[in-house]
Amino acid sequence: MKELNSTTDPIGQNLIKLISNVCFSVFVFTVLIFTVIAITYQPPDPWESSRALTRVFTQVENATFQTDSSILKTGEDMAAGPTSSPIAASIVPIIEGVIEKSEEKISNLTVKSSCEGIMNAVNCSDPRVLFSIEKFNLKAFKSISFLDYQAPVNGLRPGECDVAWRFRNKKDRSWRKYRDFRRFRIGYGENCSYKVLNVKGWHSGINARRPRNWFNTTRSGGNAKISPPILDNEINDTIPVLGSEMDFRKGKYLYYSRGGDYCKGMNHFLWSFLCALGEAQYLNRTFVMDLSICLASTYTGSNKDEEGKDFRFYFDFEHLKDVASIVEEDEFLGNWKKWDKTHKRKIPVRKVASYKVTPMQIRKDKSTIIWRQFDVPEPENYWYRVCEGQAARYIQRPWHALWKSKRLMNIVSEISGRMDWDFDAVHVVRREKAQNKELWPRLDADTSPDALVSKLQGMIQPWRNLYIATNEPFYNYFDKLRSHYKVHLLDDYKELWGNTSEWYNETRLVNGGRPVDFDGYMRVEVDTEVLYRAKTRVETFYNLTSDCKDGINTC
């Protein structure tokens, strides 16, 4: 018996060892697989579909980002919910309950028992007039959050009151506020209570319009006027000033020289710019920013690349300053040159000649300035190359920092307001894609005037306000839809950027007194935001055609 046990025991022990070794090998292999995945995985960015991004990034020899250029998403469109600022967080939207509490505070005031003798003597300063207007607005404009009101003032005729308010569209995911002022015809209801009889259109209450406070938006110097304090609804996109030499030397800066991204499409520019800004945040450095943009020929009236465009024409520089540490390039270079000349000890600079030097390798560098240079041929000189490979695990593009220009958003609000915020929209993509039958064989036919009439009748109720966001250049292309809907196109609102408009005057100030063209990229931005505010939204590649957004066999 003992002999039997002595023979079988080693067999059992060997079997246990074998199983243990197999299990350990499986465990090691599993860990190895997860490690490889973790190293090679690049988290998706909310810019395009993962398939489109993969195609763009692997074809770097032609990295011009040929995505849909008729629509543009920026940070406020990608946020999961409305963002807030400390000031905005303290503002409570005006709802029915808020109005009722305000009414209770004046409930002890004497109420007239008879309306006789006062029918033509509406007192616009009576708080109850404002309460009636607030209640009316809540019912009439359900897609709007009302933030605060000014006291009503007299209109042009007896019984008319003009009132201004600040608001935010409920679909707007930024904290920005906009202003409207309208004229109301006030009458009397039961017990002589005030009642809104009718209201005129957007910006009709001209007596309630507050004069704007103009201030200098150019670089400091010259005979610029000293402005009064900037109001909550004003735009402050002045250039930040660096300060003293000591402040300059204490700072840490990341400076990108101009690369091959210049004069590329705006999608390409944004992808590269946010890579650079993301690296600056990873390195805990101030980003040196060139406000000068070269607009690609795709968006210009001359069909040629146009240099000298200002970043502030297109994006919210005030918001960018609030959420990111940046300094303007001319301001930075001027100070750098000045302090270097007047001091024996030169400012420490590290020059980085290749994107292959990763952000992780320079994170602990103590130099005041890290200067990335892109003096090699394309595509090696694209900024976004810095964020490829291993760096993608560490660099997060700060999409939240990039909002559309408040000046353009004011145009969006005016267009939406003129339709009383009650409209549907269709996004119609044509031009190059409609002409390219190899990649989009059905798009041209599916977006023809007859096809649009046929398809939209099953999606949108007749005689609704219909806004058409499109890159189709011919204004009359959509005339057949006018027999079924109240059609609105961006060109119907040309006066909003004409030479007597607020936008025209403000952009001239930014541009040193020179007029600014309302270019194709601005049109895309405005079209995008009006589209997103529609009650019903119809998309080209999801509703109108079976073609794939990025070309044949890419769905």
Side-chain angles (χ1 to χ4, degrees):
M1 193 72 181
K2 289 181 180 179
E3 290 182 4
L4 181 62
N5 286 340
S6 63
T7 305
T8 57
D9 284 349
I11 296 175
Q13 290 174 4
N14 290 335
L15 185 61
I16 291 171
K17 287 181 181 179
L18 180 62
I19 294 172
S20 299
N21 289 337
V22 170
C23 291
F24 182 73
S25 299
V26 171
F27 170 74
V28 171
F29 185 68
T30 305
V31 171
L32 182 62
I33 290 175
F34 276 104
T35 303
V36 171
I37 292 173
I39 291 173
T40 58
Y41 174 70
Q42 295 185 24
D45 198 281
W47 181 251
E48 284 287 345
S49 66
S50 59
R51 184 177 294 150
L53 278 179
T54 301
R55 186 168 58 255
V56 168
F57 291 155
T58 54
Q59 295 177 354
V60 293
E61 70 278 359
N62 188 28
T64 51
F65 287 68
Q66 295 295 336
T67 55
D68 181 10
S69 60
S70 65
I71 210 76
L72 173 75
K73 288 183 180 180
T74 44
E76 68 269 50
D77 304 317
M78 299 175 186
T83 57
S84 62
S85 69
I87 297 175
S90 63
I91 299 176
V92 179
I94 296 172
I95 57 176
E96 195 76 35
V98 174
I99 300 172
E100 290 174 358
K101 287 182 180 179
S102 300
E103 286 180 315
E104 289 175 4
K105 293 179 181 179
I106 63 165
S107 59
N108 57 345
L109 296 179
T110 304
V111 179
K112 298 182 188 299
S113 58
S114 172
C115 297
E116 186 177 352
I118 64 168
M119 295 299 291
N120 294 320
V122 172
N123 179 10
C124 292
S125 62
D126 188 331
R128 288 169 293 192
V129 170
L130 181 57
F131 297 151
S132 67
I133 291 173
E134 289 175 345
K135 289 179 180 179
F136 176 86
N137 280 350
L138 286 178
K139 293 178 181 178
F141 308 112
K142 294 182 179 179
S143 62
I144 296 299
S145 290
F146 295 92
L147 304 177
D148 57 50
Y149 284 84
Q150 288 181 255
V153 298
N154 292 332
L156 291 180
R157 299 180 181 84
E160 289 182 345
C161 297
D162 290 1
V163 62
W165 59 83
R166 290 189 299 176
F167 68 91
R168 183 185 302 119
N169 188 282
K170 290 179 180 177
K171 292 185 178 181
D172 194 340
R173 295 173 182 174
S174 77
W175 50 259
R176 293 183 295 201
K177 297 175 284 293
Y178 304 91
R179 198 161 183 264
D180 192 8
F181 37 92
R182 301 200 182 204
R183 177 159 295 164
F184 293 82
R185 181 74 179 174
I186 306 297
Y188 295 91
E190 296 179 358
N191 298 323
C192 290
S193 60
Y194 289 111
K195 177 182 178 182
V196 174
L197 302 180
N198 62 63
V199 58
K200 292 188 178 180
W202 171 267
H203 281 19
S204 56
I206 55 175
N207 289 352
R209 179 172 187 170
R210 185 169 49 206
R212 289 183 59 85
N213 291 323
W214 296 95
F215 56 91
N216 181 37
T217 59
T218 59
R219 296 173 177 82
S220 57
N223 298 320
K225 284 187 176 181
I226 298 176
S227 65
I230 298 167
L231 299 175
D232 180 70
N233 62 330
E234 293 291 345
I235 301 169
N236 176 18
D237 51 12
T238 52
I239 305 296
V241 177
L242 279 171
S244 67
E245 179 183 0
M246 184 177 295
D247 292 334
F248 187 88
R249 289 183 178 271
K250 282 182 178 179
K252 299 290 183 184
Y253 306 94
L254 176 65
Y255 177 37
Y256 274 45
S257 63
R258 189 171 288 173
D261 317 83
Y262 198 65
C263 293
K264 291 293 189 295
M266 194 63 85
N267 290 350
H268 186 151
F269 165 77
L270 295 182
W271 189 252
S272 289
F273 170 72
L274 289 174
C275 167
L277 190 60
E279 185 188 20
Q281 293 182 344
Y282 172 75
L283 298 176
N284 197 24
R285 288 175 173 268
T286 296
F287 182 64
V288 181
M289 180 178 175
D290 182 4
L291 287 178
S292 178
I293 291 177
C294 176
L295 194 64
S297 59
T298 313
Y299 303 106
T300 63
S302 64
N303 293 320
K304 297 179 181 179
D305 297 340
E306 293 182 3
E307 300 186 55
K309 301 290 185 178
D310 196 298
F311 180 90
R312 295 170 291 178
F313 297 165
Y314 309 98
F315 303 104
D316 191 330
F317 189 58
E318 179 179 6
H319 174 66
L320 182 61
K321 290 188 297 182
D322 287 342
V323 300
S325 179
I326 58 172
V327 61
E328 194 269 334
E329 184 183 61
D330 287 346
E331 174 79 12
F332 171 81
L333 294 178
N335 279 269
W336 182 8
K337 184 177 180 181
K338 178 172 64 174
W339 303 136
D340 249 3
K341 275 187 175 181
T342 58
H343 205 289
K344 291 182 179 180
R345 184 169 60 90
K346 299 295 184 182
I347 294 171
V349 180
R350 175 173 176 179
K351 296 181 180 180
V352 181
S354 172
Y355 73 89
K356 295 177 182 178
V357 179
T358 68
M360 298 79 78
Q361 292 172 303
I362 59 176
R363 188 173 192 182
K364 295 182 180 180
D365 194 287
K366 303 297 183 183
S367 302
T368 300
I369 302 169
I370 293 179
W371 182 0
R372 279 199 179 272
Q373 298 173 324
F374 298 87
D375 300 327
V376 292
E378 297 184 30
E380 303 295 304
N381 62 352
Y382 292 154
W383 285 10
Y384 72 77
R385 304 300 301 274
V386 173
C387 298
E388 292 181 333
Q390 286 272 49
R393 296 178 57 206
Y394 298 92
I395 306 302
Q396 299 295 320
R397 284 178 171 83
W399 290 99
H400 66 279
L402 193 72
W403 289 0
K404 294 181 179 72
S405 161
K406 179 66 159 46
R407 296 183 180 92
L408 293 176
M409 294 302 295
N410 285 337
I411 293 177
V412 171
S413 289
E414 180 134 4
I415 292 172
S416 302
R418 290 189 185 185
M419 293 185 282
D420 283 335
W421 307 96
D422 184 21
F423 63 96
D424 302 317
V426 56
H427 177 209
V428 181
V429 178
R430 288 190 52 78
R431 297 191 75 167
E432 294 86 358
K433 287 190 176 183
Q435 294 167 11
N436 190 333
K437 306 291 184 181
E438 292 184 5
L439 292 179
W440 295 277
R442 293 175 290 273
L443 178 60
D444 188 29
D446 288 342
T447 56
S448 67
D450 290 329
L452 288 173
V453 170
S454 176
K455 291 176 181 178
L456 290 178
Q457 282 183 312
M459 302 177 188
I460 296 176
Q461 294 297 316
W463 297 115
R464 289 274 295 159
N465 284 317
L466 178 64
Y467 185 85
I468 303 176
T470 184
N471 59 357
E472 170 57 49
F474 299 109
Y475 178 83
N476 295 324
Y477 186 83
F478 302 99
D479 279 357
K480 288 192 175 182
L481 288 170
R482 298 183 188 278
S483 300
H484 306 273
Y485 304 103
K486 300 173 186 175
V487 172
H488 302 260
L489 293 162
L490 184 57
D491 281 337
D492 294 329
Y493 301 93
K494 285 183 177 179
E495 73 277 7
L496 299 183
W497 59 85
N499 59 11
T500 59
S501 68
E502 188 173 275
W503 176 89
Y504 179 86
N505 292 326
E506 289 185 348
T507 52
R508 278 187 66 185
L509 286 176
V510 174
N511 204 35
R514 300 181 301 275
V516 176
D517 291 332
F518 192 80
D519 57 51
Y521 194 71
M522 297 170 185
R523 296 177 68 91
V524 169
E525 291 191 278
V526 173
D527 261 352
T528 297
E529 292 302 323
V530 177
L531 178 72
Y532 286 164
R533 282 154 178 73
K535 292 189 173 179
T536 300
R537 196 169 88 202
V538 179
E539 289 285 356
T540 299
F541 292 106
Y542 301 102
N543 306 115
L544 299 179
T545 182
S546 57
D547 279 349
C548 301
K549 183 177 181 180
D550 299 311
I552 196 167
N553 297 327
T554 61
C555 293

